[in-house]
Amino acid sequence: MFKRIFNKKLKNQLHEIIYEADTPAGKLFDVALLILILASIVLVMLESVNAIDAKYHNQLLLAEWIVTILFTLEYIARIISLRKPVNYIFSFYGIIDFLATIPLYISYFFAGSQVLLALRAFRLLRVFRILKLVRFIGEASQLKEALRSSRAKITVFVYTVLILAVIMGTIMYLVEGDRSGFNSIPRSIYWTIVTLTTVGYGDIAPQTALGQAIASLIMIIGYGIIAVPTGIVTAEFAMQGRKKKEIHMNTQSCPSCGVDGHRDDAKHCFDCGTILNDHH
Amino acid sequence: MFKRIFNKKLKNQLHEIIYEADTPAGKLFDVALLILILASIVLVMLESVNAIDAKYHNQLLLAEWIVTILFTLEYIARIISLRKPVNYIFSFYGIIDFLATIPLYISYFFAGSQVLLALRAFRLLRVFRILKLVRFIGEASQLKEALRSSRAKITVFVYTVLILAVIMGTIMYLVEGDRSGFNSIPRSIYWTIVTLTTVGYGDIAPQTALGQAIASLIMIIGYGIIAVPTGIVTAEFAMQGRKKKEIHMNTQSCPSCGVDGHRDDAKHCFDCGTILNDHH
Amino acid sequence: MFKRIFNKKLKNQLHEIIYEADTPAGKLFDVALLILILASIVLVMLESVNAIDAKYHNQLLLAEWIVTILFTLEYIARIISLRKPVNYIFSFYGIIDFLATIPLYISYFFAGSQVLLALRAFRLLRVFRILKLVRFIGEASQLKEALRSSRAKITVFVYTVLILAVIMGTIMYLVEGDRSGFNSIPRSIYWTIVTLTTVGYGDIAPQTALGQAIASLIMIIGYGIIAVPTGIVTAEFAMQGRKKKEIHMNTQSCPSCGVDGHRDDAKHCFDCGTILNDHH
Amino acid sequence: MFKRIFNKKLKNQLHEIIYEADTPAGKLFDVALLILILASIVLVMLESVNAIDAKYHNQLLLAEWIVTILFTLEYIARIISLRKPVNYIFSFYGIIDFLATIPLYISYFFAGSQVLLALRAFRLLRVFRILKLVRFIGEASQLKEALRSSRAKITVFVYTVLILAVIMGTIMYLVEGDRSGFNSIPRSIYWTIVTLTTVGYGDIAPQTALGQAIASLIMIIGYGIIAVPTGIVTAEFAMQGRKKKEIHMNTQSCPSCGVDGHRDDAKHCFDCGTILNDHH
């Protein structure tokens, strides 16, 4: 029984360290994990550089094994410290944690490291959880809200861009023919998107006078169009800034006449004069 | 007579299915048509890729015939289901529907599929009608309004850009001479637009020191100028957002308690319940 | 004497046609001149294309002579129709009109058409005068005002960009050495401006890992910095829009205490209570 | 003792000339120093151009010696004119002044001018001090404030861009393999940043159909994402503009006539002249 109590206490302590960031130990754990994740990402990058991999293959493999073992320990600790680990295992972050841990084990038994390498890059997604714990996201959620409330407008905008890209791409395909890379409609559409977004690689570029004239038109459209999403998001941000000041309205409805849209500090219904319930 | 009534009923039913999206059958028809249009666009794209066309020419031709026959049936159904089909036939969408149907028939009799292929790409315009039926455009119309009310400013802006492009293009032609692609004024203007819009292909790029200095100037101008259309559209959006919200509040104050900030249609003071003076 | 009166009347009539756009004849003159200017610009462009010049040299020369003669007649008419033509001759537009007329005459006596060609491109500046007459500039002046009132901010911004470009350019020169085009500091600065403004030709691009890392940094700075002029101009536009609505404040000062900043409908000074003079 | 007084007077005068810009002599000194700094920067640039350095090496070296000697004299004057020169010597600008002076002296004793050249480019930082004296920074501080108050949002934004770049870069590396320059993950991330920021050099560009499709997606994301920092900064600017104006109005209403919209510092009602209650 003593052992069980001890275990429970240890479990709670472990839980606090791993899942919360309030205690010094919890903070330390988060920071250490953050560094480990970033280090593992740097490892993946270095391995992908042929010159570095050729020179330091063994060192990189060793480091990768250390990272994998630490991730394994962390994964086990996460499961142990929970009462119902099943929920965690099949949660979004649970699956990512699992995928972040196994690549090296699999590659030990099977060949084909190229795709496994991809799995390791997704370790970066783990960073989001830690940042969440550090309560860093306050501002991001405001960003998200601004983006969400202008989602419908942005959707319409993206469709317009895509339809424009298809039509302009087809026209450019017909005008330029096989010259200078416009050798199929999909490629031509790719070029149109490259141009509309003002990226402009130059791997495909119009050669005929007419093609260049149409390209100029597309550019000026793209240049004008860039104003639209900016305008949408900016107006949304400005609105949010104003909202903060103007939280004078609420969603309660009058108990007598059912009208809603009262000021937050209203005592009487503006429509029938009935005393409103205090909703605080 | 029985036949005529039956026909009329059928006609009405057909009309509802084809032209409206309120009934399940009407919705199904719209979705099916949407898929068919997108499939036909994908077909056109695949045909334009030489490697794919060489391999699957017959399958693509068969699919194109199926699409064409379905479009033909739809076109006939549209005409049948209307009392005065002439209006439809010569309307914008009527002509597009016709042009979307005929290319394959024409190519059966005449050669020269290149230009006909273009006609088929314009099938994409049909998508707009369906999206309209699905009542998707609410947001788009707000976009349109913002763009319309800032049209005059955008026109002035586009003229300024074009005049700037002509003058800067000529200067660059004189400075760079025949070097690095600046071999005519129109080409030089094309390059200036590519630069002003920050697209920057790099197929033409200044080589002389003076040319690069002028190019730097053009870029900074372009970079500054990008602010103008964005500013115009954003201000327009912000104005529209304000308009909506501000109709509800007014500045009258309660005759009894002096509190202000009532809704425009308020009859009672929200604070003390006194009947407000009608201020209209 | 009859002749003198007739002359004066003719002079007035000529003046009205040439300098004003209120009468039908005046409008017609403006439109005709606009077309002539644009045609002369197109001529200059076509001449600069070697392939076209080789084929149609004589036709282009003839057209150029026609344009030149028409411009000459217009220039003479402008001088005749004025009482004090000296002011006009040495005004901004007077000099441009003169420069727009003479190139061909000079090239008849001297060789070296390359530079004269430049003079002809400046004919485009004449377009501005006509557009002014057509009262098209209303919107443009609002643009100008927004730009003028944010001029100080834009100046600071441009200086920051330039200083950033010099420092980053020097760093890139040191990092990349002679590789891939970074062979002098001015060229390196040119590349930095190309990158900061997100133009990105790709004629010069970093090859070393460190160079690419610094380039990424410059791009993200540039990407962030693009927000600044946009923000400045947008805020300025929004402010102008608000101003229109909020003309509640005026610049009159209290006759008693001299305080200013009263509401437009104020009857008493808000500071000392003195009755304000009605300023309407 | 006479000498000491004289010295003190001279010291004060020197201090005023060097450190302040109120007197004509002080202004002249600042302008002269500004020109000297810019000239020295131009010198550094010209030296880096091989063609110019080869021709005018001796002239450039002479000019560099003159600049260095003038900087040395200025540095000594700065130290002499202060009572406690130690603070200055170890201040930010003190160190920059020192670093701006010594390169040539060091290169006289040691070889390796490449890195010393970098030090000389940092002379540009000295420009900031002078501009500060000329009281030019008023607007810049407003810029800085807008940037500072939106710093948290911009940080979140930059992290999002970087994480997006790593994930998208890895995917592109897997999709494109060794083709067309995507031969390591860091290079692939570099390409993603080049694309997300719409710079688009084109030195690396996707060749496979799938790679081009993903690139198109990245471009559209980048195009949409450009709206976010712009929106943030713009909203911040607009807010600052509003703040300035809005401190003046409050929502209290006149106790006598009930009119509201008084200036915050109003003592009398602007409509009836009644003394307003102090609402602070």
Side-chain angles (χ1 to χ4, degrees):
Chain A
M1 202 196 116
F2 174 79
K3 205 184 165 188
R4 198 181 288 170
I5 289 170
F6 178 78
N7 267 351
K8 207 172 173 184
K9 208 181 150 194
L10 196 95
K11 223 169 173 174
N12 277 339
Q13 229 168 357
L14 208 63
H15 184 275
E16 219 172 281
I17 290 169
I18 295 175
Y19 287 94
E20 271 151 75
D22 301 350
T23 57
K27 264 184 197 160
L28 195 73
F29 177 82
D30 280 346
V31 171
L33 188 57
L34 195 63
I35 291 167
L36 188 65
I37 292 169
L38 294 179
S40 79
I41 298 294
V42 170
L43 264 183
V44 174
M45 286 183 189
L46 292 179
E47 269 179 62
S48 79
V49 183
N50 289 332
I52 292 173
D53 192 48
K55 254 193 191 165
Y56 304 102
H57 184 75
N58 290 331
Q59 288 90 324
L60 288 172
L61 194 65
L62 180 67
E64 185 57 37
W65 269 112
I66 293 167
V67 166
T68 298
I69 286 163
L70 288 171
F71 274 3
T72 310
L73 291 175
E74 184 225 346
Y75 187 66
I76 292 166
R78 271 184 197 277
I79 288 174
I80 284 173
S81 71
L82 288 168
R83 265 175 231 156
K84 293 177 182 174
V86 182
N87 285 352
Y88 161 69
I89 290 169
F90 294 101
S91 70
F92 176 68
Y93 281 120
I95 291 166
I96 284 179
D97 289 353
F98 182 71
L99 293 178
T101 311
I102 52 160
L104 204 58
Y105 296 117
I106 295 178
S107 77
Y108 192 73
F109 297 107
F110 305 96
S113 65
Q114 196 77 333
V115 178
L116 292 165
L117 190 140
L119 281 174
R120 283 186 292 156
F122 280 99
R123 280 172 184 166
L124 198 64
L125 291 174
R126 303 191 73 201
V127 167
F128 284 105
R129 177 170 48 192
I130 298 165
L131 294 179
K132 199 175 186 178
L133 288 170
V134 187
R135 248 125 240 164
F136 188 66
I137 309 289
E139 293 290 342
S141 72
Q142 199 178 336
L143 278 186
K144 251 186 266 171
E145 188 139 330
L147 288 175
R148 190 179 304 142
S149 61
S150 50
R151 201 179 44 186
K153 277 196 206 103
I154 286 174
T155 309
V156 173
F157 170 73
V158 168
Y159 278 132
T160 311
V161 167
L162 287 180
I163 287 171
L164 212 68
V166 171
I167 289 174
M168 287 299 194
T170 307
I171 291 172
M172 285 303 286
Y173 169 69
L174 291 173
V175 167
E176 285 284 321
D178 272 339
R179 263 157 306 203
S180 51
F182 293 83
N183 55 4
S184 75
I185 291 182
R187 246 179 107 79
S188 209
I189 290 170
Y190 161 72
W191 172 86
T192 310
I193 292 173
V194 168
T195 301
L196 263 180
T197 53
T198 76
V199 171
Y201 288 128
D203 54 341
I204 313 171
Q207 294 302 331
T208 64
L210 183 57
Q212 292 181 343
I214 295 170
S216 298
L217 183 73
I218 294 174
M219 279 167 225
I220 289 173
I221 290 173
Y223 198 63
I225 256 181
I226 215 168
V228 177
T230 311
I232 293 167
V233 176
T234 305
E236 215 53 57
F237 271 111
M239 217 123 294
Q240 286 207 337
R242 252 201 301 281
K243 257 186 219 157
K244 271 186 195 159
K245 284 185 179 169
E246 291 180 352
I247 332 175
H248 299 166
M249 311 292 277
N250 63 47
T251 54
Q252 75 168 143
S253 62
C254 173
S256 163
C257 67
V259 164
D260 59 26
H262 303 288
R263 286 177 52 137
D264 219 3
D265 55 338
K267 290 168 196 149
H268 290 266
C269 173
F270 65 81
D271 199 49
C272 67
T274 305
I275 291 172
L276 294 171
N277 301 322
D278 199 1
H279 64 286
H280 299 297
Chain B
M1 202 196 119
F2 175 79
K3 208 184 162 188
R4 197 181 288 170
I5 288 170
F6 178 79
N7 267 351
K8 206 174 174 183
K9 211 181 149 191
L10 196 96
K11 223 169 173 174
N12 277 338
Q13 231 169 353
L14 209 63
H15 185 275
E16 219 173 282
I17 290 169
I18 294 175
Y19 286 95
E20 271 152 73
D22 300 351
T23 58
K27 265 184 196 159
L28 195 74
F29 177 82
D30 280 347
V31 170
L33 189 57
L34 195 63
I35 291 167
L36 188 65
I37 291 168
L38 295 179
S40 78
I41 298 296
V42 170
L43 264 182
V44 173
M45 286 183 189
L46 292 179
E47 269 178 63
S48 79
V49 183
N50 289 332
I52 292 173
D53 192 48
K55 255 194 191 166
Y56 304 102
H57 184 74
N58 291 330
Q59 288 90 325
L60 288 172
L61 194 66
L62 180 68
E64 184 57 37
W65 268 113
I66 293 167
V67 165
T68 298
I69 287 164
L70 288 172
F71 274 5
T72 310
L73 291 176
E74 185 225 345
Y75 187 64
I76 292 168
R78 271 184 197 277
I79 288 174
I80 285 174
S81 72
L82 288 168
R83 266 175 231 155
K84 293 178 182 172
V86 182
N87 285 351
Y88 162 70
I89 290 170
F90 294 102
S91 71
F92 176 66
Y93 281 120
I95 291 166
I96 283 178
D97 290 353
F98 183 70
L99 293 178
T101 310
I102 52 159
L104 204 58
Y105 297 117
I106 295 178
S107 76
Y108 191 75
F109 297 106
F110 306 96
S113 65
Q114 197 76 335
V115 179
L116 292 166
L117 191 140
L119 281 175
R120 283 186 293 157
F122 280 99
R123 281 172 184 167
L124 199 64
L125 291 174
R126 303 192 72 200
V127 166
F128 283 106
R129 177 170 47 192
I130 299 168
L131 294 179
K132 201 176 187 178
L133 288 171
V134 186
R135 251 125 236 164
F136 189 65
I137 309 289
E139 294 289 342
S141 72
Q142 200 178 335
L143 279 186
K144 252 186 265 171
E145 189 139 329
L147 288 175
R148 190 179 306 143
S149 61
S150 50
R151 202 178 43 187
K153 278 196 205 102
I154 287 173
T155 309
V156 173
F157 170 73
V158 168
Y159 279 131
T160 312
V161 167
L162 286 180
I163 287 171
L164 212 68
V166 170
I167 289 173
M168 287 298 192
T170 307
I171 291 172
M172 284 303 286
Y173 169 69
L174 291 173
V175 167
E176 285 283 322
D178 272 339
R179 261 157 309 202
S180 50
F182 293 84
N183 55 4
S184 76
I185 291 182
R187 245 179 107 80
S188 210
I189 290 170
Y190 160 73
W191 172 86
T192 311
I193 291 174
V194 168
T195 301
L196 263 180
T197 54
T198 76
V199 171
Y201 288 128
D203 53 341
I204 314 171
Q207 294 300 331
T208 64
L210 183 57
Q212 292 182 344
I214 295 169
S216 299
L217 183 72
I218 294 174
M219 279 168 225
I220 289 172
I221 290 173
Y223 198 63
I225 257 182
I226 215 169
V228 177
T230 310
I232 293 167
V233 176
T234 304
E236 215 52 57
F237 271 112
M239 218 125 291
Q240 287 206 339
R242 251 200 302 280
K243 262 181 217 161
K244 268 189 196 161
K245 281 192 177 167
E246 285 186 353
I247 323 175
H248 297 177
M249 310 291 279
N250 63 47
T251 55
Q252 76 168 140
S253 63
C254 174
S256 164
C257 66
V259 163
D260 59 36
H262 304 288
R263 286 176 55 134
D264 218 2
D265 54 339
K267 288 166 197 152
H268 290 267
C269 173
F270 64 83
D271 199 49
C272 67
T274 305
I275 290 172
L276 296 171
N277 300 325
D278 199 1
H279 63 287
H280 300 298
Chain C
M1 200 197 121
F2 176 79
K3 208 183 162 188
R4 197 182 287 171
I5 288 170
F6 179 79
N7 267 352
K8 207 174 175 184
K9 210 183 149 193
L10 196 96
K11 222 169 174 173
N12 276 340
Q13 229 169 356
L14 210 62
H15 185 274
E16 219 173 281
I17 290 170
I18 294 176
Y19 286 94
E20 271 151 74
D22 300 351
T23 58
K27 264 183 197 162
L28 196 72
F29 178 82
D30 279 348
V31 170
L33 188 56
L34 195 63
I35 291 167
L36 188 65
I37 292 169
L38 294 179
S40 78
I41 298 295
V42 170
L43 262 182
V44 174
M45 287 184 189
L46 292 179
E47 268 179 64
S48 79
V49 183
N50 289 332
I52 292 172
D53 193 48
K55 256 193 190 167
Y56 304 103
H57 183 75
N58 290 331
Q59 289 90 326
L60 288 171
L61 194 66
L62 179 68
E64 185 58 37
W65 269 113
I66 292 168
V67 166
T68 298
I69 287 163
L70 289 171
F71 274 4
T72 310
L73 292 176
E74 184 225 345
Y75 187 66
I76 292 166
R78 272 185 195 277
I79 288 172
I80 285 173
S81 72
L82 289 168
R83 263 175 234 154
K84 293 178 181 171
V86 181
N87 285 352
Y88 161 70
I89 289 170
F90 294 101
S91 71
F92 176 66
Y93 282 120
I95 291 166
I96 283 179
D97 289 352
F98 182 70
L99 293 178
T101 311
I102 51 160
L104 204 57
Y105 296 118
I106 296 179
S107 75
Y108 191 75
F109 296 106
F110 306 96
S113 65
Q114 197 76 335
V115 178
L116 293 166
L117 190 140
L119 281 174
R120 283 186 293 156
F122 280 100
R123 282 172 184 169
L124 198 63
L125 291 174
R126 305 191 70 201
V127 167
F128 283 105
R129 178 171 46 192
I130 298 167
L131 293 178
K132 202 175 185 177
L133 289 171
V134 186
R135 248 125 238 160
F136 188 67
I137 310 289
E139 294 290 341
S141 71
Q142 199 177 335
L143 278 186
K144 251 187 265 169
E145 187 139 329
L147 289 175
R148 189 180 306 142
S149 61
S150 49
R151 201 178 44 188
K153 280 197 203 101
I154 286 173
T155 310
V156 173
F157 170 73
V158 168
Y159 279 132
T160 312
V161 167
L162 286 180
I163 287 172
L164 212 68
V166 171
I167 289 174
M168 286 298 193
T170 307
I171 292 172
M172 284 304 286
Y173 169 70
L174 292 173
V175 166
E176 285 283 321
D178 272 339
R179 260 157 310 201
S180 50
F182 293 85
N183 55 4
S184 76
I185 290 182
R187 245 178 106 79
S188 210
I189 290 170
Y190 161 72
W191 172 86
T192 310
I193 291 173
V194 167
T195 301
L196 263 180
T197 53
T198 77
V199 170
Y201 288 129
D203 54 341
I204 314 171
Q207 294 300 330
T208 65
L210 183 57
Q212 293 182 342
I214 295 169
S216 298
L217 184 73
I218 294 173
M219 280 169 224
I220 289 173
I221 290 172
Y223 198 63
I225 257 180
I226 214 169
V228 177
T230 311
I232 293 166
V233 176
T234 304
E236 216 51 59
F237 271 111
M239 216 125 294
Q240 286 205 338
R242 252 201 301 282
K243 258 184 219 157
K244 272 185 197 163
K245 283 188 179 170
E246 290 180 351
I247 331 174
H248 300 165
M249 311 291 277
N250 63 47
T251 54
Q252 74 169 141
S253 62
C254 174
S256 164
C257 67
V259 164
D260 60 24
H262 303 286
R263 286 176 54 134
D264 218 2
D265 54 339
K267 289 167 197 148
H268 289 267
C269 172
F270 64 83
D271 200 50
C272 67
T274 306
I275 290 173
L276 295 172
N277 300 323
D278 200 359
H279 63 288
H280 298 299
Chain D
M1 199 198 121
F2 175 79
K3 205 184 164 188
R4 198 181 287 172
I5 288 170
F6 178 79
N7 266 352
K8 206 174 177 183
K9 209 183 151 194
L10 196 95
K11 221 170 176 174
N12 278 339
Q13 228 169 0
L14 208 64
H15 185 274
E16 219 172 280
I17 290 169
I18 294 176
Y19 287 94
E20 271 152 75
D22 300 351
T23 57
K27 265 183 198 161
L28 196 73
F29 177 81
D30 280 346
V31 170
L33 189 57
L34 195 63
I35 290 166
L36 189 64
I37 292 169
L38 293 180
S40 78
I41 298 294
V42 170
L43 262 183
V44 173
M45 286 184 190
L46 292 178
E47 268 180 62
S48 79
V49 182
N50 289 332
I52 292 173
D53 192 48
K55 256 194 192 166
Y56 304 103
H57 183 76
N58 290 330
Q59 289 89 326
L60 288 171
L61 194 66
L62 180 68
E64 183 58 37
W65 268 113
I66 293 167
V67 166
T68 297
I69 287 162
L70 289 171
F71 275 3
T72 310
L73 292 175
E74 185 226 344
Y75 187 66
I76 292 165
R78 272 185 195 278
I79 288 172
I80 285 172
S81 72
L82 288 167
R83 265 174 232 155
K84 293 179 181 173
V86 182
N87 285 352
Y88 162 70
I89 289 169
F90 294 101
S91 71
F92 176 67
Y93 281 120
I95 292 167
I96 284 179
D97 289 352
F98 182 71
L99 293 178
T101 312
I102 52 160
L104 205 59
Y105 296 117
I106 296 179
S107 77
Y108 191 75
F109 297 105
F110 306 96
S113 66
Q114 197 75 336
V115 178
L116 292 166
L117 188 141
L119 281 174
R120 283 186 292 156
F122 280 100
R123 280 172 185 169
L124 198 63
L125 291 174
R126 303 191 71 200
V127 166
F128 285 105
R129 179 170 46 191
I130 297 167
L131 294 179
K132 201 174 185 178
L133 288 170
V134 186
R135 248 128 239 158
F136 188 65
I137 309 289
E139 294 289 340
S141 72
Q142 200 178 336
L143 277 187
K144 250 187 265 171
E145 188 139 329
L147 288 176
R148 190 180 305 141
S149 61
S150 50
R151 200 178 44 186
K153 278 197 205 101
I154 286 173
T155 310
V156 173
F157 171 74
V158 168
Y159 278 133
T160 311
V161 167
L162 286 181
I163 287 172
L164 212 68
V166 171
I167 289 174
M168 287 299 193
T170 308
I171 291 172
M172 284 303 285
Y173 170 68
L174 291 173
V175 167
E176 285 282 321
D178 272 339
R179 263 157 307 203
S180 51
F182 293 84
N183 55 4
S184 75
I185 290 182
R187 245 178 105 78
S188 209
I189 290 170
Y190 161 72
W191 171 86
T192 310
I193 291 173
V194 168
T195 300
L196 263 180
T197 53
T198 77
V199 170
Y201 288 129
D203 54 340
I204 314 170
Q207 294 302 331
T208 64
L210 183 57
Q212 292 182 342
I214 295 169
S216 298
L217 183 74
I218 293 173
M219 280 167 223
I220 289 174
I221 290 173
Y223 197 63
I225 256 180
I226 215 169
V228 177
T230 311
I232 294 166
V233 177
T234 305
E236 216 52 58
F237 270 111
M239 217 124 294
Q240 287 205 339
R242 250 201 302 282
K243 261 183 216 156
K244 269 187 196 160
K245 281 190 178 171
E246 286 186 352
I247 324 173
H248 298 177
M249 309 293 276
N250 63 47
T251 54
Q252 76 167 141
S253 63
C254 173
S256 163
C257 67
V259 163
D260 58 35
H262 303 288
R263 286 178 53 136
D264 219 2
D265 54 339
K267 288 167 196 150
H268 289 267
C269 173
F270 65 83
D271 199 49
C272 67
T274 306
I275 290 173
L276 295 171
N277 300 323
D278 199 2
H279 64 287
H280 298 297

